[in-house]
Amino acid sequence: MTRSTFPHRCRRLALTALALAAGTAAPSALAQDNPVILQLFEMRWADMERRMPDVFAAGYGATWLPPVSLGGTAPTGNTTTVGYDPWDRFDLGRPGRETAYGTEAGFAATVAEFKRANVLVYVDAVLNHNGGRQTSDGFLANGGYPGFWIPRENPPRNKQPTDNWGDFHAGVAGGYLQSENPGGARYDRELGDLVALIDIAQESNHQFIRHPVAAGNPQNIPAGTTYNRPDPNNAARYPDLSLTPATFNNPATFRGTGGLNFTIHPFNTTNPLQGDPIADNATGLLMRWTQWMLDKHQIDGFRFDAIKHAPAWFWDNYIDAAMFNRRTTPDGRRVTPFSFGESVEGNQFTFDNFIRKQNNRNRQGDAFGNRDALDLAGAGALRDLLNGGGFGSWDNVLNAHLDVVDDANNLVQDGSLGIFHIYSHDNSYSGDGSALPGPGTLRQQAAVMNAYLLMRTGAVKIYHNALGIPRTSGFFPRRGIDMALGFNIAANAPDATVTNLVQLHNQLARGQFYQLNFTDGVNQSKADVLVFDRRQGSQASVLVGVNDRWDSGFDTRSVLTNFPPGTRLRELSGNANNPVVDAGNNIPEFLTVGPDQRILINVPRNRTGTTDHALGFVIYAPSIPSGTVTLSGATTALPPDPVSVPQFRRRLTSLPIVATNTFNIELNTTPGDPLDINTDNAAQFRINAGYQDFNGNGQIDFPHTAGISAGYENFRTLNIPAYNGSTAANGRYIQSIDTSLLPEGPNYLSVIAFRQRPAGTAPMFREWRVPFYVDRVDPVVNINAPARITSTSFQFNITTTDRTVNTVHLFLNVPPATDPRTLVTQFTAAPRRDRFEWFRTIGGMTHGFNEISVVTQEENTTLLRTGVQRVPIFVDLCPADFNDDGEIDFFDYLDFAAAYSSEEPSADFNSDGTVDFFDYLDFADRYAQGC
């Protein structure tokens, strides 16, 4: 079978998906207006969830998470692996067998917290390979990789390269194929193993029920002694065929792929065990997992690892179909999730084979797929420029971006292609993957390169290695931008350099990218300095200068801008007021555009004297509103964590506590520049993901088509903009909020105030992000115990749906006059089993009614609420206590006699199935014995 015929044959794939209306997918390249992606690695789910206020306050609107599935190799996987060697894709960790990051419940809670903070979630998906290639027959006898088929040899022996490898690519007589070294022996980009990780044969068509539910089904995958065995819980890994399917056509692409019809059923997320096991091949399993992550875990898309090592038809025909219209937006629309791949094969090759999205070349773009790629060549050029110490050129960077192969609109830097970045887990400033590198220098933190990326066009990703997972050997994700969340690990001190840039990106970086060096009549070179602006319509919104020189001083350029003459521009990065950067006071805080629309801009180099400050950039823009946001009713706050908390877990952001039934959001604005009359002309607010009527006017004020304002609400309690057309005044906005509309625990407030701007130009605004904590009710849990306990000791299981519960304490028979909270110590805490589960064994119970007191605590027991529940438990240690009143007395005899006379089943005291004289004798004997 040749590859060209495979797409037709593989229509037998068993497909699964969520029910949706058939039709054309809505374009949704990045579902928010202008989000920066935080690649957040090496942090456990619990710590990530706890740090969400910092992620939100920093300004991020999306995240890229590491592979979430259990990885490793025989016989049971490896719970410490980063995850690029999948063992069982459907195993996201469970109590007693967690992944490096935690459990499935912990992951789900973290995704929910990202969603509450209005941060998109992209997960690393590894669909090219599994873990290390295992050749031993013992591995196959154990079951092999869960869900995948490798036939055992008959008679049993270890596998050889030329054997039949089932769902995986075989080797040749000289050994196994490899795909990482194009100049090496047995190289094959699509058929070879990647760093000895066994390569999946996406074109194979072995049909099995790969996660068997019932024994005896002839379609079941051959079972091993441990894996691929029937399990009723496997039904949750399949769609529910009783639910309404989606039927659609995946249109043909310019590559000749696509053009297939699909009928896809949804996973049942309410009753997962209603899934129906169906036979599929290896590609069908990968599709099913892709859909399961979107349906069940509600992620927003994927980063596809090693995309170039699997054929284009696999992504275009099948993975695109599994993802089509799978995501539900906060306003309830169905859109196709965003994804981006990793291909180091070159820009043109990547564009021609693995990108499928709208707004590319006319012959290549379509609205069905929504897949981009990492800008790996551009990232490499940026690292080269950074490491060149001033002996490179910004032209090398500009010409390296993936974006240059897209000529839509005759623009080569329009940001329509590529995820722009500097570092990743694969490429950083230090480390070879064998050990933890030390903290980066200020130069290695690459603030200049981040200023360039964040202020130009295109989607931007910042990589942060949180260093929250011990790594002693093997592959260690490379070091990233230590300051990505506003804290300099090397200096052990706050540092807002990167987070300020992220926020300026959010507030200013809109419109087309225009390089301005060519307008300088004296020095047009981009060898040291690049100057550009962003513009839309009749005028620009921001002017940026970046400098790659690492000697002392500054460089001057005279550039022609698109700002109206006389416009006052303010330097907003803070570098003009930084004495370390501008010791000679050569960088003005304000610039005024000349009558000819020219500006003389001084761009600092990255050193002052002998000190590297690494801040060789300036960002000028018309002043945006200043001001403060306060929450009335928040009389106290959860403070930032002390330094005793490990840095990867340490929350940096204070959370005001709202414990009242109502509170006010109040914004008071002041002019960003007293000499500029164009102050704020409007303000809006959004709580969490928005699209909720918080101002009580019976509607969502701004739909998804409203750009920046999508999901926001107007201030209605008080709305006094500062702009009056003649003076730089102050503004005041108030909105009363019904707190009962908000969930308990962390909530996330965004307030924006717009600068007065001409129609048709890019909007400019100031954003205030205020995470806060709602604490109106006591935390509650459910204690799961049978109606009757028959021993003096019992392990109680405690569960909750209350996300605020942090610790649980259990006590036996606390006197009514005693408050159980006074008994709490560190030794009374129940061990935590999972994100929403605890357990504790209570001994010393006596016959009759006992009482279990449950004390539930939130994170800060001084500032937040503590709940108390008293739960009666009947302990049956005396069978002769027939009426279960806790005592053996004559009433028990009378009640038994009445049941015996009526031959009621309860009188079958010896449980032999009949009520007879032997029951009477047994009862009388136990009655005489007492308790």
Side-chain angles (χ1 to χ4, degrees), residues 443-458:
R443 177 187 296 200
Q444 291 169 330
Q445 293 300 296
V448 174
M449 280 59 195
N450 277 315
Y452 160 73
L453 289 182
L454 287 164
M455 300 313 296
R456 58 153 291 152
T457 46

Side-chain angles (χ1 to χ4, degrees), residues 720-760:
I720 305 176
Y723 179 72
N724 59 24
S726 60
T727 60
N730 297 339
R732 192 161 186 238
Y733 306 83
I734 298 176
Q735 181 59 53
S736 179
I737 302 294
D738 179 353
T739 318
S740 68
L741 298 175
L742 299 174
E744 289 283 298
N747 286 260
Y748 302 89
L749 169 67
S750 167
V751 177
I752 52 178
F754 290 91
R755 172 185 167 86
Q756 169 69 21
R757 292 274 282 169

Side-chain angles (χ1 to χ4, degrees), residues 824-839:
V824 167
T825 71
Q826 60 178 324
F827 304 107
T828 61
R832 194 169 201 155
R833 175 181 287 118
D834 209 343
R835 172 61 179 87
F836 299 107
E837 297 180 26
W838 294 260
F839 68 95

Side-chain angles (χ1 to χ4, degrees), residues 748-804:
Y748 302 89
L749 169 67
S750 167
V751 177
I752 52 178
F754 290 91
R755 172 185 167 86
Q756 169 69 21
R757 292 274 282 169
T761 61
M764 299 173 60
F765 60 89
R766 172 83 68 183
E767 181 184 21
W768 294 264
R769 292 193 172 202
V770 184
F772 63 99
Y773 196 100
V774 171
D775 187 34
R776 293 177 56 250
V777 298
D778 294 342
V780 296
V781 295
N782 301 312
I783 183 164
N784 304 312
R788 184 186 302 263
I789 295 174
T790 58
S791 67
T792 60
S793 178
F794 187 80
Q795 178 178 292
F796 291 96
N797 296 316
I798 302 98
T799 61
T800 184
T801 57
D802 188 332
R803 296 172 61 85
T804 70

Side-chain angles (χ1 to χ4, degrees), residues 213-545:
V213 173
N217 191 323
Q219 290 187 298
N220 285 352
I221 191 170
T225 56
T226 304
Y227 295 104
N228 291 333
R229 302 184 66 82
D231 182 348
N233 293 315
N234 280 342
R237 301 183 176 193
Y238 287 95
D240 185 346
L241 301 185
S242 69
L243 299 179
T244 304
T247 300
F248 55 87
N249 174 262
N250 179 352
T253 71
F254 78 98
R255 292 186 275 264
T257 53
L260 304 180
N261 295 319
F262 289 85
T263 297
I264 297 183
H265 287 81
F267 280 85
N268 190 324
T269 57
T270 303
N271 297 300
L273 293 182
Q274 293 301 306
D276 298 297
I278 50 178
D280 54 11
N281 57 26
T283 289
L285 182 153
L286 298 175
M287 291 178 66
R288 184 157 44 89
W289 177 82
T290 299
Q291 183 195 343
W292 179 74
M293 289 296 297
L294 293 164
D295 285 7
K296 178 178 181 180
H297 289 291
Q298 298 295 299
I299 65 171
D300 299 292
F302 297 96
R303 179 266 192 182
F304 289 126
D305 180 69
I307 196 172
K308 75 165 189 172
H309 296 291
W313 56 255
F314 168 69
W315 308 103
D316 289 346
N317 291 6
Y318 300 106
I319 297 304
D320 280 354
M323 295 178 66
F324 177 67
N325 273 2
R326 302 244 45 85
R327 175 175 174 262
T328 301
T329 64
D331 60 304
R333 291 173 296 119
R334 302 292 304 190
V335 299
T336 296
F338 179 64
S339 62
F340 51 100
E342 172 211 23
S343 169
V344 297
E345 200 70 16
N347 286 344
Q348 193 65 54
F349 181 89
T350 298
F351 181 61
D352 289 340
N353 289 279
F354 302 116
I355 290 177
R356 188 185 187 187
K357 59 186 292 192
Q358 204 169 25
N359 299 326
N360 291 339
R361 295 177 179 176
N362 292 334
R363 70 179 181 89
Q364 296 189 7
D366 69 37
F368 186 87
N370 191 16
R371 185 170 65 252
D372 206 331
L374 288 165
D375 178 42
L376 297 180
L382 278 167
R383 294 193 298 272
D384 289 343
L385 186 63
L386 178 66
N387 296 329
F391 292 96
S393 173
W394 289 98
D395 267 327
N396 297 336
V397 172
L398 292 164
N399 294 330
H401 289 310
L402 178 60
D403 202 22
V404 301
V405 302
D406 175 13
D407 61 1
N409 303 318
N410 296 316
L411 294 169
V412 295
Q413 296 290 347
D414 62 354
S416 63
L417 282 186
I419 305 298
F420 295 82
H421 63 285
I422 303 166
Y423 298 139
S424 73
H425 59 291
D426 286 321
N427 295 286
S428 187
Y429 58 81
S430 179
D432 60 2
S434 61
L436 171 65
T441 64
L442 289 176
R443 177 187 296 200
Q444 291 169 330
Q445 293 300 296
V448 174
M449 280 59 195
N450 277 315
Y452 160 73
L453 289 182
L454 287 164
M455 300 313 296
R456 58 153 291 152
T457 46
V460 182
K461 182 264 294 184
I462 304 292
Y463 170 53
H464 180 61
N465 184 327
L467 308 176
I469 297 176
R471 299 289 181 191
T472 57
S473 63
F475 175 72
F476 189 96
R478 307 299 198 263
R479 195 87 181 225
I481 303 294
D482 290 339
M483 300 185 295
L485 290 175
F487 189 85
N488 188 333
I489 296 174
N492 195 30
D495 191 317
T497 300
V498 175
T499 56
N500 282 344
L501 289 171
V502 171
Q503 292 155 19
L504 289 173
H505 162 94
N506 295 343
Q507 297 166 161
L508 301 173
R510 288 170 183 81
Q512 293 297 337
F513 171 92
Y514 281 86
Q515 303 171 45
L516 301 179
N517 289 58
F518 76 96
T519 67
D520 190 315
V522 177
N523 186 350
Q524 299 180 9
S525 171
K526 285 174 274 193
D528 299 317
V529 172
L530 175 67
V531 181
F532 62 90
D533 68 18
R534 298 289 299 275
R535 59 180 71 173
Q536 177 178 315
S538 62
Q539 60 182 258
S541 55
V542 65
L543 175 70
V544 180

